[in-house]
Amino acid sequence: MKKLGMIGGTGPEATVDYYQSIIAKYQEKTGDPESLPEFLIHSINMYKIFGLLENNQTEELTDYLAEAVGVLEKGGAEFAVLTANTAHIVFEAVQQRTKIPLISIVEESVQAADDMKLGKVGLLGTKFTMENDFFQQVFNGRQKEIVVPTQQEQEFIHQKIVEELEKGVAKDDTKEAFLKIVSRMVEEDGIEGVILGCTELPMLIKPEDSAIPQLNTTEIHVEAIVAAILEQ
């Protein structure tokens, strides 16, 4: 078993989801309900990340995340993950600063889109995820198109993520509004699927809520994480 190191706290609700999902997926893969993976969690401050991004301090963000991975490295982690889509803005820079490999949520998501034969997908997430092009770069490299909501929609989505979802609050009216945005993107932009590009979004949007396929980035990431834990 390879030892995982997980950067959590980005936000706390997603960290809990990752923890429970990794255990459930591990037990499913091993077929042993009494077997548990042993791994490390280093919980950091989501609001510090948002502050650094608001001020375009990507070098400082890289330092912050690389230092956090270093803590896991010293603790014996053999590979690590950043449990937030937004943090992947500086994924490559962080990987260059660390000795242990990182599993990218974006790379795993584009592979899932490939498997689902999706060519044009919508992207929901924090404003930092939607405004930056780190998803676009990877998806465009695989001949896939990423579509983001309108500027007004992006501001609304970000506000609801920060004020509600990051605090564990999932409201029906917020869900309805998000689904209306997805429906508009289907009709006007021709998206074939939607990326739940914030690891708190699955709290709100479920597979049965939309007619188009969803790329649940938490679920996709966890699948890859457990495969790496079990890799011989």
Side-chain angles (χ1 to χ4, degrees), residues 29-42:
K29 292 287 188 184
T30 60
D32 184 356
E34 294 187 357
S35 178
L36 292 169
E38 297 180 10
F39 58 97
L40 308 172
I41 302 174
H42 182 33

Side-chain angles (χ1 to χ4, degrees), residues 22-157:
I22 288 168
I23 289 173
K25 180 60 68 174
Y26 179 86
Q27 291 177 334
E28 176 193 319
K29 292 287 188 184
T30 60
D32 184 356
E34 294 187 357
S35 178
L36 292 169
E38 297 180 10
F39 58 97
L40 308 172
I41 302 174
H42 182 33
S43 189
I44 60 175
N45 189 342
M46 168 188 69
Y47 297 106
K48 179 171 181 176
I49 290 175
F50 285 171
L52 291 171
L53 287 170
E54 286 281 8
N55 294 301
N56 295 313
Q57 295 176 284
T58 52
E59 286 189 20
E60 288 83 352
L61 176 57
T62 300
D63 290 342
Y64 185 47
L65 293 171
E67 286 169 10
V69 174
V71 171
L72 296 171
E73 225 177 279
K74 289 176 183 174
E78 296 172 84
F79 72 101
V81 293
L82 310 175
T83 61
N85 289 269
T86 298
H88 282 67
I89 289 172
V90 292
F91 178 87
E92 295 298 336
V94 173
Q95 179 64 92
Q96 289 172 12
R97 293 269 304 276
T98 60
K99 295 175 183 175
I100 58 175
L102 307 178
I103 296 179
S104 165
I105 204 168
V106 183
E107 292 287 353
E108 295 301 327
S109 294
V110 77
Q111 184 57 55
D114 245 2
D115 294 342
M116 298 165 79
K117 298 184 173 16
L118 300 176
K120 190 176 189 180
V121 291
L123 173 63
L124 306 185
T126 66
K127 67 177 182 179
F128 308 113
T129 294
M130 293 184 287
E131 288 173 355
N132 284 275
D133 66 352
F134 62 103
F135 261 96
Q136 284 86 336
Q137 286 180 10
V138 174
F139 273 67
N140 291 347
R142 299 278 280 270
Q143 288 73 55
K144 299 184 188 302
E145 184 180 351
I146 290 280
V147 179
V148 295
T150 66
Q151 188 61 43
Q152 185 177 6
E153 289 168 342
Q154 288 184 39
E155 291 169 5
F156 173 76
I157 291 168

Side-chain angles (χ1 to χ4, degrees), residues 12 16 31 65 72-73 77 107 138 148 157 163 170 176 179-180 190-192 199 204 211 215 222:
V16 173
L65 293 171
L72 296 171
E73 225 177 279
E107 292 287 353
V138 174
V148 295
I157 291 168
E163 295 180 0
E176 184 179 346
L179 291 174
K180 280 184 180 177
I191 63 170
E192 304 161 354
T199 47
L204 195 69
L215 292 167
V222 166

